[in-house]
Amino acid sequence: MPSKEATVAVLGATGAVGEQILRNLERRSFPVKELRLLASSRSAGKKVRFKGEEVEVQQASPEAFKGVDIALFSAGGSVSEAFAPEAVKRGAVVVDNTNAFRMDPKVPLIVPEVNAAEIGNHQGIIANPNCSTIQMVVALKPLYDRFGLDRVIVSTYQAVSGSGAAAMEELWEQSRSALEGKEAVKEIMPVGKLPRHYQIAFNAIPQCDVAEENGFTLEEMKMVRETKKIFGDDSIGVTATCVRVPVSRGHSESVYVELERDFQLEEVREAFQQTEGIILQDDLHRQVYPMPLEAAGRDEVFVGRVRKDTVHPRGLNFWVVADNLLKGAATNAVQIAEHLV
Amino acid sequence: MPSKEATVAVLGATGAVGEQILRNLERRSFPVKELRLLASSRSAGKKVRFKGEEVEVQQASPEAFKGVDIALFSAGGSVSEAFAPEAVKRGAVVVDNTNAFRMDPKVPLIVPEVNAAEIGNHQGIIANPNCSTIQMVVALKPLYDRFGLDRVIVSTYQAVSGSGAAAMEELWEQSRSALEGKEAVKEIMPVGKLPRHYQIAFNAIPQCDVAEENGFTLEEMKMVRETKKIFGDDSIGVTATCVRVPVSRGHSESVYVELERDFQLEEVREAFQQTEGIILQDDLHRQVYPMPLEAAGRDEVFVGRVRKDTVHPRGLNFWVVADNLLKGAATNAVQIAEHLV
């Protein structure tokens, strides 16, 4: 339980994640002394509800962070780069939800279920990992602890909300167009800033971020690099294929791991079951397994389809689902903030 | 090129695959002497267009196969079990698109690009593999030949048309309901005959067939067993996770393989490029990769996102897409029939 009240700023308050941060602060009864909602000039002046009251959104500026204890950032990487140092200079601790500082060696990259102990090492900025990484490492943690973790091969089924509220709207509109037999408008997916856009409705797009030199996407390499950093263990081999699917909220992941030690399937199930933050939904014979429609709106990470590999003696397969806007972003950020107060 | 004309029967002529078989026979100018369209009593009397003429669907019966040279079956496993021996008894060669005979040692399991030479070994029945297997083995074949194939880890993104025309309609209707804020009707997905049905629209369901004892689904184990049989090589290790996604037509697969010999990425690209039946769409930097919406209606197997693994020295990742009703079913069946005439 948090022990003292804090002045909290939310930068990007009107975005898809920002909105979920506010709902999380309410739901988890975060001890907010004062709330400052910050955004670009475009959103300044808007009113947003918090605990039954209307709070006006202010334009972000360095001065707006004066007196702020905790600043939760989710307004894009360049905004974080501009304002995080200003907020820190004024005494705030920044919990940043963008990719700007994640791999900075001075910045702890935190998933509380995995490495809460690192939170204290911050120098003003704490990074929230990428959504697809967070839910995977929560599921990997009990395996890492009990059996050791050699390597991971993951294929993702990512919801469009990872690209923001406008992408959710695009999926909606494209679906409507397809049902009406009209040509879909394609403006955002797969990556807003790239030149080519494809229909995501009734499609699957094997690209969730820009390309890297090695033929992987940045999204895929985030899963590789962030997993090593969060566990503080460069020996974990991660291979990722990140794919966007026509789901609004909730990322799914097909995960194959090779563990270091032999295991019984029941031990693995028990390890998942005993882990705070994981809900095991694993009974294929009764058709029980996680699905994004069911995970949407929930804070936990859902694990199912747990089965011993038939090829590798220490291979294990499972399926992980979580709400990418909640545990994949807002919930994780607010959990970090809870550790700070 | 086919050398003689054949009397062809299509059993299941009014189904999603049956319809595509007819379109394929037309498009590929299959030398049809006489066409018999067969179905259950429910569909008997319906008229179906073929080469500009209306052909009446007859109720399937043993006698209906008299004089038939080639019978293309896609009306479900129990129908195949009942009628295939009858058709064979009357001199027909059956190309069966169901799971009924695939693992029967007396029945060749054929993907012409991989094992056309086995076609001659039939004793009246030739099996068409499962849709998700076909497109994968077409992509694996050039790798198997040039570099040897140790193991495969695949996660699928399967279209609802794999469950037939009614499932396509269900996705459509559920999407409409979701857009209108109404409760979706759930009657088919993930497996019609199982007790629980889930919404597939805007969801992902990690089950495409019934459960097996080992915690995998039958769909997943089909990929394991059929791959070994098609290559005639039990040493290939296959691990599959089969997932249904809200796509109407076109299965996608995220494939990781470990090859037996060292390779250069360019050699792999060249091997894909030189393989008949494969179209390489592989330029991530220019956002070129296969997608189901683009592959729908095409006969080929599309390969992209080809990249060397960063963990295993002989690991390779790629993405395979094909129209599950065409190369995954009808096209492959008609290709087999072409080898017969």
Side-chain angles (χ1 to χ4, degrees):
Chain A
M1 267 282 93
S3 55
K4 54 166 194 166
E5 293 204 316
T7 293
V8 176
V10 177
L11 177 58
T14 57
V17 172
E19 192 196 322
Q20 295 304 323
I21 287 176
L22 296 178
R23 299 292 81 79
N24 245 281
L25 293 171
E26 289 176 340
R27 256 194 302 136
R28 301 173 73 95
S29 303
F30 192 88
V32 177
K33 191 164 70 190
E34 187 198 328
L35 180 71
R36 290 194 207 155
L37 303 185
L38 307 175
S40 66
S41 58
R42 204 160 26 97
S43 294
K46 279 190 188 168
K47 297 252 171 67
V48 172
R49 287 195 80 78
F50 184 72
K51 291 190 176 172
E53 285 176 34
E54 303 252 289
V55 183
E56 189 171 318
V57 177
Q58 304 167 45
Q59 184 174 345
S61 73
E63 291 311 308
F65 294 99
K66 224 165 152 179
V68 168
D69 298 307
I70 298 172
L72 301 159
F73 278 33
S74 62
S78 56
V79 179
S80 288
E81 279 167 17
F83 286 110
E86 300 294 340
V88 171
K89 217 184 284 173
R90 287 163 180 82
V93 178
V94 173
V95 179
D96 184 38
N97 197 42
T98 77
N99 194 40
F101 304 103
R102 285 178 188 150
M103 296 311 296
D104 185 330
K106 296 187 301 294
V107 174
L109 184 65
I110 301 294
V111 178
E113 290 87 340
V114 182
N115 63 345
E118 297 292 319
I119 293 177
N121 298 335
H122 73 82
Q123 297 176 26
I125 303 175
I126 298 167
N128 213 31
N130 190 44
C131 44
S132 49
T133 310
I134 292 177
Q135 67 184 68
M136 182 173 80
V137 298
V138 168
L140 292 178
K141 171 69 170 162
L143 304 177
Y144 183 88
D145 288 348
R146 304 251 303 238
F147 310 102
L149 186 59
D150 246 353
R151 71 175 302 193
V152 182
I153 297 172
V154 57
S155 295
T156 70
Y157 303 66
Q158 296 187 220
V160 295
S161 50
S163 299
M168 295 164 81
E169 193 54 41
E170 186 180 69
L171 169 60
W172 231 235
E173 284 308 317
Q174 289 181 350
S175 301
R176 201 184 304 277
S177 296
L179 291 172
E180 293 170 358
K182 292 185 195 151
E183 186 67 21
V185 177
K186 294 162 271 186
E187 291 175 336
I188 300 173
M189 285 289 132
V191 183
K193 65 186 168 194
L194 290 183
R196 299 176 78 162
H197 296 115
Y198 304 119
Q199 178 177 325
I200 182 62
F202 306 106
N203 201 13
I205 307 178
Q207 173 169 34
C208 296
D209 208 330
V210 296
E212 297 224 336
E213 271 315 305
N214 62 2
F216 287 79
T217 61
L218 175 56
E219 183 84 0
E220 290 159 355
M221 294 311 294
K222 284 176 189 170
M223 295 188 82
V224 175
R225 298 179 190 123
E226 294 179 12
T227 300
K228 292 174 197 251
K229 178 166 175 174
I230 294 163
F231 280 100
D233 183 346
D234 273 346
S235 77
I236 305 172
V238 179
T239 300
T241 301
C242 291
V243 180
R244 198 70 71 180
V245 294
V247 169
S248 188
R249 255 173 96 163
H251 288 356
S252 306
E253 297 175 347
S254 167
V255 185
Y256 165 82
V257 294
E258 278 165 21
L259 302 178
E260 282 174 357
R261 290 185 286 284
D262 291 335
F263 62 89
Q264 297 296 317
L265 199 54
E266 271 319 303
E267 297 176 283
V268 168
R269 286 217 180 87
E270 204 180 274
F272 283 135
Q273 208 142 27
Q274 290 170 354
T275 302
E276 176 119 16
I278 291 178
I279 294 181
L280 186 66
Q281 297 180 322
D282 186 42
D283 188 349
L284 177 62
H285 288 271
R286 294 174 58 199
Q287 295 185 264
V288 175
Y289 33 69
M291 290 179 284
L293 265 190
E294 303 288 321
R298 307 279 302 267
D299 283 322
E300 301 88 349
V301 171
F302 299 85
V303 175
R305 295 298 322 273
V306 184
R307 58 214 197 272
K308 224 173 179 342
D309 194 50
T310 56
V311 177
H312 192 286
R314 294 189 309 283
L316 176 78
N317 302 282
F318 54 95
W319 173 252
V320 186
V321 181
D323 187 326
N324 53 302
L325 295 181
L326 294 179
K327 184 57 189 169
T331 304
N332 199 68
V334 173
Q335 284 173 327
I336 294 171
E338 285 173 352
H339 279 268
L340 290 170
V341 293
Chain B
M1 269 280 97
S3 54
K4 54 168 194 168
E5 293 206 315
T7 293
V8 176
V10 177
L11 177 57
T14 56
V17 173
E19 193 195 322
Q20 295 305 322
I21 286 176
L22 296 178
R23 297 294 80 79
N24 246 280
L25 293 172
E26 288 176 340
R27 256 194 302 137
R28 301 172 75 95
S29 303
F30 192 88
V32 177
K33 188 164 70 189
E34 186 198 327
L35 180 70
R36 289 195 205 153
L37 303 185
L38 307 174
S40 65
S41 59
R42 204 159 26 95
S43 294
K46 278 190 188 166
K47 296 250 171 65
V48 172
R49 287 194 80 76
F50 183 71
K51 292 189 177 173
E53 286 176 33
E54 303 252 287
V55 183
E56 188 171 319
V57 177
Q58 305 168 44
Q59 184 173 345
S61 73
E63 291 312 308
F65 293 100
K66 224 165 153 178
V68 168
D69 299 307
I70 298 173
L72 300 160
F73 278 34
S74 62
S78 56
V79 179
S80 288
E81 279 166 18
F83 286 109
E86 299 294 340
V88 172
K89 216 183 285 173
R90 286 164 182 81
V93 178
V94 173
V95 180
D96 184 39
N97 197 41
T98 77
N99 194 39
F101 303 103
R102 285 179 188 149
M103 295 312 295
D104 185 329
K106 295 188 301 295
V107 174
L109 184 66
I110 301 293
V111 177
E113 290 87 341
V114 183
N115 63 343
E118 297 292 319
I119 293 178
N121 299 333
H122 74 82
Q123 298 177 26
I125 303 175
I126 298 167
N128 213 30
N130 190 43
C131 44
S132 49
T133 309
I134 292 177
Q135 67 184 69
M136 183 172 79
V137 298
V138 168
L140 293 177
K141 171 68 170 164
L143 305 177
Y144 183 88
D145 288 347
R146 305 252 302 238
F147 311 102
L149 187 59
D150 246 354
R151 71 175 302 194
V152 182
I153 298 172
V154 56
S155 295
T156 70
Y157 302 67
Q158 296 185 221
V160 295
S161 49
S163 300
M168 294 164 81
E169 193 53 41
E170 186 178 72
L171 168 61
W172 231 236
E173 284 308 317
Q174 288 180 351
S175 300
R176 203 184 302 280
S177 296
L179 290 171
E180 292 170 357
K182 292 184 195 152
E183 185 69 21
V185 177
K186 293 162 272 186
E187 290 176 337
I188 300 173
M189 284 289 131
V191 183
K193 65 187 171 194
L194 291 182
R196 299 177 78 164
H197 297 117
Y198 303 119
Q199 179 177 325
I200 183 61
F202 306 106
N203 201 13
I205 307 180
Q207 174 170 33
C208 296
D209 207 329
V210 296
E212 296 224 336
E213 271 315 305
N214 62 1
F216 286 80
T217 60
L218 174 57
E219 183 83 0
E220 290 159 355
M221 294 311 293
K222 283 175 189 168
M223 295 188 82
V224 175
R225 296 179 192 124
E226 294 179 12
T227 301
K228 291 175 199 250
K229 178 167 175 175
I230 294 163
F231 280 99
D233 184 346
D234 273 347
S235 77
I236 305 172
V238 179
T239 301
T241 301
C242 291
V243 180
R244 196 70 72 180
V245 293
V247 169
S248 187
R249 256 173 97 165
H251 288 355
S252 307
E253 298 176 346
S254 166
V255 184
Y256 165 83
V257 294
E258 279 165 21
L259 302 178
E260 282 174 356
R261 292 187 285 286
D262 291 334
F263 63 89
Q264 297 297 316
L265 198 54
E266 272 319 303
E267 297 176 282
V268 168
R269 285 216 179 89
E270 205 179 273
F272 282 136
Q273 209 142 26
Q274 291 169 352
T275 302
E276 175 118 18
I278 291 180
I279 294 181
L280 186 66
Q281 296 180 322
D282 186 41
D283 188 349
L284 177 62
H285 289 270
R286 294 173 59 197
Q287 295 186 263
V288 175
Y289 32 68
M291 291 179 285
L293 265 191
E294 302 289 322
R298 307 279 302 268
D299 283 322
E300 299 89 351
V301 171
F302 298 85
V303 175
R305 294 299 323 274
V306 183
R307 57 215 197 272
K308 226 174 177 344
D309 195 50
T310 57
V311 176
H312 192 287
R314 294 188 309 284
L316 176 77
N317 302 281
F318 54 95
W319 173 252
V320 186
V321 180
D323 187 325
N324 53 302
L325 296 181
L326 294 180
K327 185 57 191 168
T331 303
N332 199 69
V334 173
Q335 284 172 328
I336 294 171
E338 286 172 351
H339 280 267
L340 290 171
V341 292

